[in-house]
Amino acid sequence: MNSTSSTHRRLRSAPQPGAPAFLWWLVGIMALIELVLTLSSYGIFGTQDLRWPAFALGAFWQPLLWGAAQPIYPGQTVLMFLTYAFLHGGMLHLAMNSVVLLSLGKHVCSHFGARRTLLVLFLAAVGGAATFGLLAPSDAPMIGASGAVFGLIGLWQGTDYSARRRSGLSVQPIIVAVLGLVAANIGLMFILGGGLAWQAHLGGWLVGWLAAQGFVRRRETV
């Protein structure tokens, strides 16, 4: 490894004063969409409630995946693997995902850079949708950025796990944290009456974990 790449790595790993601009742009787009939908729900914007029309166009619909329903527009069956992540069920749903996206995204980006962070978000959103499509028993629409957010969580935990193994430290804290995520999802599933897309969380997390192992191996070979 030459000195230039070493210096670049140290600079990239240096603490950042705030979340990267591209994360704020993503949150801003999601917030604008949710604001329009919320205002339309209260009759302040437009002449009708736009939430369900937006869900019809952009949510992830399992029946479309298996051909049990016809898409509204060309390419919907493919685009829904990403568009669902920009839709939320309300301001609280949006706020929860946005806070984790900004705070954890800042940490991940400082270690892996913007391109890899954005790549993981993209793949985790797709992986979360695919896992939901394969495992979910419901035909209801799936929305929210939590699949992508769980991708960042998986990346963070996977990186910490690999670092602890290389250093000979106990991986028990990581195992406990993962079990805590499982328990939290089970608890929320009961609280929400089954209205939790845990399958998307699982798929996103697995993408992040696998990405961490790939990034670590590549870093070791540089």
Side-chain angles (χ1 to χ4, degrees):
M1 179 176 64
N2 58 45
S3 59
T4 302
S5 61
S6 178
T7 301
H8 175 71
R9 184 173 298 168
R10 287 196 300 270
L11 289 174
R12 189 175 62 184
S13 300
Q16 302 296 318
F22 77 90
L23 290 178
W24 282 106
W25 274 102
L26 289 176
V27 170
I29 293 171
M30 293 189 300
L32 179 60
I33 293 173
E34 180 53 40
L35 178 62
V36 170
L37 298 184
T38 298
L39 291 178
S40 73
S41 296
Y42 285 101
I44 301 175
F45 179 85
T47 58
Q48 63 172 328
D49 188 346
L50 299 176
R51 188 171 297 277
W52 277 105
F55 286 1
L57 295 172
F60 184 89
W61 295 91
Q62 192 185 53
L64 289 180
L65 186 64
W66 304 115
Q70 295 299 313
I72 299 175
Y73 57 89
Q76 182 180 7
T77 306
V78 175
L79 291 176
M80 69 178 183
F81 278 83
L82 284 178
T83 55
Y84 82 94
F86 290 90
L87 298 171
H88 291 81
M91 287 296 182
L92 179 59
H93 187 200
L94 169 67
M96 292 173 61
N97 282 332
S98 297
V99 167
V100 180
L101 179 63
L102 291 172
S103 57
L104 188 53
K106 170 189 172 182
H107 170 79
V108 169
C109 196
S110 68
H111 284 77
F112 295 106
R115 285 184 296 179
R116 287 183 174 181
T117 302
L118 189 58
L119 176 63
V120 170
L121 286 171
F122 170 80
L123 294 178
V126 173
T131 306
F132 180 86
L134 291 172
L135 300 181
S138 173
D139 291 339
M142 192 266 290
I143 55 172
S146 54
V149 167
F150 268 77
L152 294 185
I153 296 175
L155 179 60
W156 172 43
Q157 292 181 331
T159 303
D160 197 8
Y161 175 84
S162 297
R164 285 179 171 274
R165 288 198 62 183
R166 291 197 312 272
S167 303
L169 300 175
S170 172
V171 297
Q172 182 177 355
I174 309 302
I175 296 174
V176 171
V178 172
L179 292 177
L181 277 180
V182 174
N185 274 267
I186 293 174
L188 284 173
M189 186 170 59
F190 280 105
I191 292 174
L192 298 176
L196 181 75
W198 63 265
Q199 301 90 344
H201 298 176
L202 173 62
W205 184 90
L206 286 174
V207 167
W209 181 277
L210 293 175
Q213 310 315 309
F215 292 163
V216 168
R217 283 196 295 270
R218 182 177 179 184
R219 178 176 293 182
E220 289 174 345
T221 59
V222 174

